[in-house]
Amino acid sequence: MPKEMNSYKDYLGDLIGGSLMIKESQTVAELLLKKPSQEEWLEAIVNQNVLQKRSDASAKRNAATIKKRLEGMSYKYLELIAFGSTELSTQLMFAATLINCTLLADFMRNVVLDAKRMFRESLDVADWESFWDERIRLFPELAQMSESSTYKISQVAFKAIADAGYIETTRNKKIQNVYLLPEVRDLLLEINRDDIISAMELH
């Protein structure tokens, strides 16, 4: 079931940590399947640099973001991300990101789905801005975030939606059809997250 929103931080989740990072997510999922200790985790992420990042800091940051999104997911969920097709990994990672970030799930349901119903060809920045203003009514603390943070959140949101295939590029934001894979639907039903299915089925 959807988690309870006690604060705006719960609502935002870790979206600012980055987009879907599919290749890195597959690597992290494979690592999590081994249930690593803290030492083994750092050994893989920092010393072996399994994510192939230029700095230890960005490797740690990306790995922590992905780990947070995958925490609590079943062995089967992790296994399908680690070893499934790119399309399957992408949809499961997008679902995990929407579970972590209710803000993005609401944007998908309330804005992207509406745009599709109205046969609009593309999204635009104004869609996000009016959505963000509405969210401020729910969580007034969002208004206190710095301009650079709110801009970064909007950039990452559009990047995640593009990575998941719902828009062609972050530049043209042209809306595309995405068909939810049966495995993704089944896994989400198993964990009682039909709210996430409704955020991902936009045709």
Side-chain angles (χ1 to χ4, degrees):
M1 289 302 293
K3 61 184 177 184
E4 262 186 62
M5 292 295 114
N6 296 318
S7 74
Y8 79 102
K9 286 183 177 170
D10 285 340
Y11 187 62
L12 277 176
D14 200 24
L15 187 63
I16 208 160
S19 183
L20 301 192
M21 303 181 273
I22 300 305
K23 201 163 134 293
E24 295 90 336
S25 296
Q26 289 172 320
T27 304
V28 169
E30 190 175 350
L31 182 58
L32 290 172
L33 285 169
K34 297 169 186 164
K35 296 192 165 50
S37 64
Q38 186 58 24
E39 290 74 27
E40 289 164 336
W41 173 261
L42 287 173
E43 168 64 28
I45 300 300
V46 179
N47 298 344
Q48 293 172 26
N49 192 19
V50 290
L51 300 187
Q52 300 177 338
K53 296 294 166 189
R54 287 185 180 172
S55 72
D56 291 355
S58 65
K60 280 181 181 172
R61 193 169 56 247
N62 289 165
T65 295
I66 296 164
K67 187 181 186 186
K68 206 174 280 185
R69 290 172 185 172
L70 293 178
E71 257 167 0
M73 292 304 183
S74 66
Y75 187 91
K76 184 176 165 191
Y77 201 108
L78 294 175
E79 198 173 37
L80 287 174
I81 289 178
F83 306 114
S85 66
T86 303
E87 186 183 14
L88 181 56
S89 299
T90 301
Q91 287 196 7
L92 286 173
M93 215 44 227
F94 190 54
T97 305
L98 295 179
I99 289 168
N100 174 269
C101 176
T102 308
L103 168 92
L104 189 58
D106 281 349
F107 183 70
M108 289 294 293
R109 268 191 298 271
N110 301 347
V111 181
V112 186
L113 186 56
D114 265 11
K116 201 131 176 50
R117 281 196 191 116
M118 291 159 74
F119 302 105
R120 283 177 52 194
E121 284 193 4
S122 58
L123 300 174
D124 59 50
V125 176
D127 291 318
W128 179 268
E129 288 168 352
S130 57
F131 169 74
W132 185 260
D133 289 344
E134 278 172 25
R135 301 299 108 177
I136 287 172
R137 288 191 209 122
L138 282 178
F139 297 100
E141 303 95 327
L142 293 175
Q144 286 151 31
M145 290 179 70
S146 71
E147 208 174 300
S148 61
S149 290
T150 54
Y151 177 73
K152 173 93 191 286
I153 288 167
S154 72
Q155 295 293 98
V156 176
F158 280 121
K159 178 82 169 70
I161 293 166
D163 286 352
Y166 291 90
I167 55 175
E168 195 174 79
T169 65
T170 52
R171 187 170 291 216
N172 69 23
K173 299 181 180 58
K174 191 172 175 218
I175 299 168
Q176 304 188 123
N177 284 326
V178 173
Y179 295 94
L180 203 58
L181 294 169
E183 302 95 313
V184 177
R185 169 188 279 281
D186 291 348
L187 272 175
L188 289 171
L189 286 173
E190 269 174 38
I191 56 174
N192 296 319
R193 294 308 300 249
D194 38 356
D195 61 313
I196 299 299
I197 294 172
S198 72
M200 291 178 73
E201 285 197 313
L202 300 180
H203 53 81

